[in-house]
């Protein structure tokens, strides 16, 4: 579905009359501000998983939830869910060779390649594994697309392009508008490509980095400081690839040229459905790399208001409590990265929603709140929950996630991330109309923000979702319009996103943030006192997964 058509549908839905008079907005800017001021303060040390900052954060969340009057919703009646993680820090390789025709291209770590692993191991050893170019590495039966064509990748190194086959496709290319045009699907994410390589038995996976398709520069992709985090994989399950890495475009060009191939020509071939994997003749990878691998434990915090009529049906709200902890000093000597907006405001929004719902009547369906750990490490807390759910996934009505809210004041619209996915978008437009606001689709869907927040862990298991993310595009602010909203996004993402300056400020104008949280309150009321089951739109990659459990939702 094209973005123009999606926008027209959303605007039309926003114009629908809302038949029930809206109650006074329960969530206030002052309430949000007070929570963030607390959890973004220095004693919380940037709320990194597995640190004293986590202990203080968990204690604070549990005390607040108890005071509000919620029930614990973790396993065995606890407030928390234990999340085990592997933390790997790759050392300097004693051997790293990409050889073509007997000549080592001598890749330089940090300049050409950024090797890492998510296996629980003290060393990565690969002896001259052959390289195979797999195009975009997409297997999407619902779109009639398979880049692998049954080629055996066991023991081989899969080389991928980033993003979707249609990201650069032109009219006439087989991939043109097959994957939503510029709007990234999950098949375009680097995480999917590493997962697919592992499923197919590859020993390593390399992704060619390009700024546009990746959505960020090599300075981000090539940075291995801090290592990788992952969930442990049970024995007998497919293990992650032994080595995963981005490779810089200039090095990729040199590699393909040495193998008698041209990267731009290969990219064009990969935009056709009949593309087949291409062995890089005479090319191999050899690695001997030490790894410092530790096991750490972190926690999700889970709370609920039990439903009185359909307690096994759950309306869920989520936000991540973690931030980036303590790091290298900035120019002012600050070391704590407090995550005031990302995602302190999301946590504040969830606590405010919990208070608002608890103050009202008992819902028909259960309302749950998930405060996730390790979002900044790869959505690990929400992924662990999705693998080990407390509430049945098939009967989770929907999940609404808050991850960054704008702090520049009231807005005439709300920015929707991932427009065109499910029926909750129309519901959001309807409740936004009660505030006199409209819906604006994410202005940069090619960045794939829909696949980079905690709701995605449940989305890929079929649960319909909504995401509020203030960094997804400039809001149409009451003061200054779209230009002012875009400037806020630019300033925040360029200077304070994941940095020491993401701090609480008394100068924040949280009128727009509070209005966004109140939208989720109104939408939660519609869902928690109804028999409605939101659905995925035709063409969504998650529709088939939800349909598999349809029988469990029949009255």
């Amino acid at each position: 579905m094209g973005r123009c058509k999606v926008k027209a549908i959303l605007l039309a839905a926003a114009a629908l009359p809302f038949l029930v008079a809206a109650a006074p907005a329960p969530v206030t800017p002052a309430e949000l501000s007070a929570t963030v001021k607390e959890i973004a303060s220095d004693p919380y040390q940037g709320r990194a998983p597995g640190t004293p900052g986590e202990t203080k954060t968990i204690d604070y969340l549990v005390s607040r939830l108890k005071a509000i009057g919620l029930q614990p919703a973790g396993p065995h009646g606890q407030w928390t869910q234990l999340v085990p993680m592997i933390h790997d820090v790759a050392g300097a390789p004693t051997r790293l060779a990409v050889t073509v025709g007997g000549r080592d291209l001598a890749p330089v770590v940090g300049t050409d390649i950024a090797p890492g692993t998510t296996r629980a191991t003290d060393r990565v050893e690969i002896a001259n594994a052959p390289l195979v170019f797999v195009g975009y590495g997409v297997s999407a039966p619902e779109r009639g697309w398979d880049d692998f064509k049954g080629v055996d990748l066991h023991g081989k190194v899969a080389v991928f392009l980033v993003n979707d086959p249609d990201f650069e496709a032109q009219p006439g290319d087989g991939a043109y508008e097959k994957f939503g045009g510029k709007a990234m699907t999950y098949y375009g994410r680097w995480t999917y490509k590493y997962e697919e390589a592992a499923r197919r038995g590859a020993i390593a996976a390399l992704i060619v980095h390009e700024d546009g398709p990746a959505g960020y520069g090599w300075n981000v992709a090539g940075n291995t400081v801090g290592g990788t985090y992952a969930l442990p994989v049970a024995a007998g399950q497919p293990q992650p690839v032994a080595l995963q890495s981005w490779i810089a475009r200039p090095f990729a060009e040199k590699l393909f040229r040495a193998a008698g191939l041209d990267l731009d020509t290969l990219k064009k071939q990969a935009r056709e459905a009949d593309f087949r994997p291409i062995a890089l003749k005479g090319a191999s990878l050899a690695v001997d790399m030490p790894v410092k691998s530790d096991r750490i434990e972190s926690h999700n915090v889970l709370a609920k208001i039990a439903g009185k009529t359909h307690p096994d049906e759950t309306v869920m709200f989520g936000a991540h409590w973690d931030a980036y902890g303590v790091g290298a000093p900035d120019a002012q000597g600050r070391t704590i990265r407090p995550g005031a907006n990302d995602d302190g405001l999301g946590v504040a929004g969830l606590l405010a929603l919990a208070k608002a719902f608890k103050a009202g009547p008992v819902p028909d369906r259960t309302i749950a709140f998930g405060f996730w750990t390790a979002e900044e490490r790869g959505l690990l807390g929400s992924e662990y929950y999705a693998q080990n759910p407390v509430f049945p996934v098939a009967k989770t009505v929907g999940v609404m996630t808050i991850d960054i809210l704008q702090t520049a004041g009231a807005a005439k619209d709300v920015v929707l991330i991932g427009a065109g996915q499910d029926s909750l978008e129309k519901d959001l437009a309807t409740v936004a109309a009660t505030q006199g606001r409209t819906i604006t689709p994410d202005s940069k869907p090619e960045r794939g923000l829909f696949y980079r927040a905690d709701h995605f862990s449940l989305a890929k298991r079929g649960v319909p979702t909504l995401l509020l993310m203030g960094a997804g595009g400039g809001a149409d602010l009451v003061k200054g319009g779209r230009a002012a909203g875009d400037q806020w996004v630019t300033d925040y993402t360029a200077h304070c996103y994941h940095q020491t300056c993401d701090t609480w400020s008394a100068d924040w104008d949280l009128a727009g943030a509070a209005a966004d949280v109140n939208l989720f309150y109104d939408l939660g009321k519609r869902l928690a006192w109804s028999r409605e089951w939101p659905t995925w739109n035709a063409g969504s990659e998650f529709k088939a997964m939800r349909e598999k459990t349809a029988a469990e939702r029949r009255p």
Side-chain angles (χ1 to χ4, degrees):
M1 186 183 295
R3 290 188 66 223
C4 290
K5 187 174 180 181
V6 168
K7 188 171 184 179
I9 291 173
L10 293 172
L11 291 175
L16 292 174
F18 192 60
L19 301 180
V20 180
V27 177
T28 67
E31 181 179 14
L32 298 178
S33 181
T35 297
V36 179
K37 183 179 181 181
E38 171 64 23
I39 64 174
S41 62
D42 284 354
Y44 289 80
Q45 299 179 9
R47 305 191 307 277
T51 69
E54 166 170 350
T55 302
K56 188 169 181 63
T57 302
I58 299 300
D59 289 347
Y60 172 79
L61 291 174
V62 171
S63 67
R64 283 287 306 272
L65 293 165
K66 285 180 178 179
I68 291 168
L70 267 63
Q71 298 173 273
H76 313 297
Q78 301 176 11
W79 286 101
T80 60
Q81 179 184 45
L82 178 67
V83 180
M85 291 186 284
I86 297 167
H87 179 208
D88 288 335
V89 178
T94 56
R95 186 185 183 201
L96 175 60
V98 176
T99 303
V100 184
R103 180 171 70 92
D104 183 8
L105 302 183
V108 177
V109 174
T111 300
D112 302 316
I113 193 169
T117 187
T118 57
R119 287 190 177 183
T121 183
D122 61 2
R123 182 167 297 276
V124 171
E125 294 180 272
I126 299 174
N128 302 318
L131 274 63
V132 180
F133 175 64
V134 296
Y136 290 90
V138 171
S139 176
E142 78 282 1
R143 299 170 194 254
W145 200 272
D146 173 26
D147 282 329
F148 297 97
K149 307 296 191 299
V151 171
D152 184 10
L153 292 179
H154 283 83
K156 299 176 182 178
V157 179
V159 182
F160 294 84
L161 299 171
V162 70
N163 216 300
D164 294 307
D166 64 350
F167 179 75
E168 296 177 328
Q170 304 298 316
D173 291 339
Y176 186 66
E177 295 195 341
K178 273 269 190 180
F179 293 84
K182 292 292 185 183
M184 183 187 287
T185 69
Y186 185 53
Y187 300 116
R189 291 281 293 144
W190 57 267
T191 49
Y192 166 80
K193 297 175 193 296
Y194 290 149
E195 291 166 1
E196 193 65 28
R199 281 190 286 267
R200 294 175 182 273
I203 194 170
L206 307 177
I207 301 176
V208 178
H209 176 269
E210 295 182 271
D211 289 5
Y216 39 78
W218 178 255
N219 63 314
V220 175
N223 184 0
T224 60
V225 175
T228 59
Y229 291 78
L231 299 177
V233 178
Q237 296 299 311
Q239 297 296 309
V241 291
L243 182 137
Q244 61 184 44
S245 181
W246 292 91
I247 56 174
R249 161 105 193 194
F251 180 78
E253 291 175 343
K254 181 166 67 172
L255 167 62
F256 285 112
R257 190 163 53 247
L261 301 166
D262 176 75
L263 179 55
D264 286 328
T265 300
L266 291 174
K267 288 180 66 178
K268 185 169 179 57
Q269 292 176 12
R271 298 200 292 263
E272 301 297 333
D274 61 359
F275 168 83
R276 296 184 61 83
I278 299 169
L280 275 64
K281 187 176 180 181
S284 64
L285 171 71
V287 177
D288 190 348
M289 182 177 73
V291 179
K292 183 178 183 299
S293 185
D294 295 312
R295 295 282 185 134
I296 63 174
E297 292 184 345
S298 190
H299 303 83
N300 293 324
V301 178
L302 297 165
K304 68 180 179 180
I305 302 171
K308 65 182 180 190
T309 309
H310 304 285
D312 60 335
E313 300 174 3
T314 307
V315 177
M316 188 166 229
F317 296 91
H320 69 90
W321 61 255
D322 70 304
Y324 268 92
V326 178
D330 65 8
Q332 288 76 45
R334 298 174 297 186
T335 59
I336 295 173
R337 294 169 288 182
N341 195 335
D342 183 16
D343 191 25
L345 266 173
V347 170
L350 254 63
L351 289 171
L353 287 169
K355 180 180 176 183
F357 280 114
K358 184 60 180 176
V362 177
D364 290 339
R365 289 165 156 168
T366 294
I367 302 176
F369 301 87
F371 299 82
W372 312 120
T373 182
E375 186 273 350
E376 303 291 9
R377 273 69 179 179
L379 316 184
L380 298 187
S382 58
E383 175 62 23
Y384 186 82
Y385 171 84
Q387 293 178 13
N388 304 274
V390 175
F391 304 100
V393 170
K395 289 193 174 184
T396 299
V397 179
V399 58
M400 289 161 277
T401 295
I402 306 173
D403 194 347
I404 300 176
L405 295 171
Q406 60 89 2
T407 60
K412 302 173 188 176
D413 63 353
V414 58
V415 176
L416 174 63
I417 308 299
Q421 283 283 3
D422 62 43
S423 64
L424 284 173
E425 298 168 12
K426 189 176 291 186
D427 295 332
L428 181 67
T430 301
V431 296
T434 69
Q435 294 183 353
R437 301 169 72 193
T438 57
I439 302 293
T440 299
D442 174 13
S443 62
K444 295 185 181 297
E446 66 273 14
R447 294 182 301 178
L449 293 177
F450 183 82
Y451 307 94
R452 294 163 58 181
D454 285 308
H455 70 286
F456 177 61
S457 298
L458 284 168
K460 65 183 180 181
R461 289 162 174 90
V463 180
T465 65
L466 278 177
L467 170 64
L468 291 180
M469 181 177 279
D476 185 5
L477 298 178
V478 171
K479 297 179 181 179
R482 186 81 60 201
D486 287 339
Q487 188 61 52
W488 180 88
V489 172
T490 298
D491 289 346
Y492 175 73
T493 56
H495 303 298
C496 289
Y497 180 58
H498 293 171
Q499 303 302 316
T500 56
C501 60
D502 188 4
T503 57
W504 172 86
S505 172
D507 295 331
W508 278 355
D509 184 344
L510 297 180
D516 283 352
V517 178
N518 281 312
L519 286 177
F520 270 10
Y521 175 72
D522 290 340
L523 184 52
K525 287 194 300 181
R526 291 170 65 95
L527 296 174
W529 279 269
S530 80
R531 302 305 302 131
E532 175 186 351
W533 290 101
T535 57
W536 294 98
N537 296 343
S540 170
E541 57 264 52
F542 311 112
K543 185 177 179 63
M545 180 63 72
R546 189 64 163 179
E547 289 177 343
K548 290 180 180 178
T549 61
E552 297 181 52
R553 291 182 294 280
R554 289 175 186 155

